[in-house]
Amino acid sequence: MTGTGEPSRPVPPRPAEPVPAAPGPAAPVPAAPRPAERRPAPPRTAPPRTQAPRPAPRRPATVRPLPIAVDTMGGDHAPEEIIEGAVTAVREHGVRLVLVGRAARIRRELDLHGVLGTIPIVHADEALDMGEGALASWRKPRSSIAIACHLIKQGRASALVSAGSTAGVVATSRLRLKGQQGVMRPAIAVALPTRPRPTILLDAGATADVKPEGLVQFAALGTAYAQILLGVDRPSVGLLNIGAEPGKGNKLTKRAHELLASGSHGIEFAGNVEGHDLLSGRVDVIVADGFTGNVALKTVEGTVATAFAEIRDAMTSTAAARMGALLQRRRLQELRDRLDPDTYGGGVLLGLNGTVVIAHGAARARAITSACDLAHRLAAGRIVERIREQVAATRTSRFGRWTHGERDADRPADRPADRPADRPGDRPSERPAEKVPEVPSPAADTVPDRKEPPPGPSSG
């Protein structure tokens, strides 16, 4: 303690000084690095130019076509078989459909198949009978076929499938849909069971009397149809005649041969073909007038049916024959499917402002399913636009005449296209207005066949 009486502060210890190490041998000093020898720099070269990868070609976007309008009231087995085939097309092929006919009967059949409410329905008051001809299109303006054509004109359907009377379907379709610009006459195209791919035959009965220029247009229609159905860029075309020589035939076929052989139409013309070439697969498209083509088609169908009946009798005559048929069962089934007309769906009416598929009057559900699938493929392939381009490429000076399609295009706007022209003695005020039957109140799955504009403001 110090004299002042205050406690002494502790003094912090002094850090110890380092003790020097004992002397010893000096550590070796590393030698300075020798400067590296300067080597000549390599000549500068431009870096390799890398080409930018080219973008892959853009594929055209596949537009899903509009629904297919199915005439449920046409055919010998309507509406049961028609609706069954339509339901199968929806389930197996994913085809969008709209069923046209009597709504109550359609709902009853859809309920039996368990799809009530999933397929839209458009009500139609009338139906064309199988025995009615072309005049039925005027007598029954509210038939199921007329309503289906109206849906196509409105842009609510892309194609029509019907198993009704061929004359009634052709007449109603030509009246409602009209012919394309520049097309002189429509044609029905059918597929013949040939190898390695089917052969297109047209006309099969739409136009019995035709001019040589019409046969050239049929070749254009068949070319566009074969490009979509067969997937061939340049399908070969043959003219059905009584001989292969250019000088054979009547005046019609001789002149048509001259026009087709000129090579100025962009058609791959292969010359004349005879009747025995129908099933040989020699060409992709066979052109004929409607009378000759229909006779040839019915001859082929009758021959195939007779041949199958004879084969069936031969293979069931004895026990050994039945055993052989059992061993070849799979091969015979494939042959039957290839020769069965129901596999191909029916004929296609080409040349109109819409796609029309005409099934056989006795078509069953399988044929209707094939017809719906065919109509879907044609609509997806834009067959109407393809025909318009093909016909425009094959027009000559004689095609510039006043055709059916041009008359429809030049029709005055104040007169509806589906009404006949006023006769000289008629007054517009004296013509009775078309009476449209009242449609019952639609159910949840029934859509109206007409899209009426919204009501405007009251003028009063």
Side-chain angles (χ1 to χ4, degrees), residues 234-280:
R234 296 280 297 176
S236 57
V237 179
L239 179 63
L240 186 60
N241 207 335
I242 60 174
E245 296 80 8
K248 289 292 186 70
N250 52 15
K251 295 180 180 180
L252 173 65
T253 55
K254 288 180 182 179
R255 178 56 181 164
H257 189 282
E258 293 177 1
L259 294 176
L260 290 171
S262 63
S264 60
H265 310 290
I267 296 174
E268 195 72 21
F269 184 56
N272 292 333
V273 294
E274 301 182 61
H276 56 74
D277 295 324
L278 289 173
L279 299 179
S280 64

Side-chain angles (χ1 to χ4, degrees), residues 99-104 106-107 121-126 142-144 147 438-440 446-449:
L99 304 182
V100 184
R102 294 185 175 90
I106 296 176
R107 291 195 197 95
I121 302 172
V122 174
H123 178 76
D125 301 318
E126 301 171 329
R142 296 285 296 175
S143 65
S144 54
I147 295 298
E438 296 183 359
V439 181
T446 307
V447 295
D449 64 312

Side-chain angles (χ1 to χ4, degrees), residues 39-87:
R39 298 180 180 180
R44 294 184 178 182
T45 58
R49 299 178 60 183
T50 59
Q51 297 181 355
R54 296 181 179 180
R58 298 179 60 183
R59 297 182 178 179
T62 56
V63 181
R64 191 178 184 185
L66 295 172
I68 309 298
V70 180
D71 172 27
T72 60
M73 309 309 296
D76 296 335
H77 308 286
E80 294 81 10
E81 293 288 336
I82 309 300
I83 296 177
E84 181 181 352
V87 172

Side-chain angles (χ1 to χ4, degrees), residues 295-379:
V295 172
L297 176 63
K298 298 297 178 59
T299 303
V300 170
E301 292 178 349
T303 303
V304 171
T306 303
F308 260 102
E310 294 294 334
I311 293 175
R312 186 184 304 107
D313 294 341
M315 290 192 170
T316 57
S317 56
T318 61
R322 287 192 293 270
M323 182 62 66
L326 184 61
L327 296 177
Q328 296 291 332
R329 181 179 180 181
R330 181 177 179 181
R331 181 69 181 88
L332 292 174
Q333 184 65 33
E334 294 177 357
L335 179 62
R336 178 181 179 182
D337 293 340
R338 187 172 65 87
L339 299 179
D340 190 1
D342 293 348
T343 306
Y344 302 93
V348 182
L349 185 61
L350 304 175
L352 304 181
N353 292 310
T355 304
V356 179
V357 178
I358 306 175
H360 200 278
R364 294 283 183 176
R366 182 187 177 191
I368 300 301
T369 302
S370 302
C372 293
D373 183 53
L374 175 61
H376 174 78
R377 286 186 292 163
L378 294 178

Side-chain angles (χ1 to χ4, degrees), residues 370-394:
S370 302
C372 293
D373 183 53
L374 175 61
H376 174 78
R377 286 186 292 163
L378 294 178
R382 306 179 67 85
I383 181 63
V384 177
E385 290 78 3
R386 188 76 62 89
I387 288 177
R388 184 179 297 113
E389 297 172 358
Q390 192 68 37
V391 169
T394 57

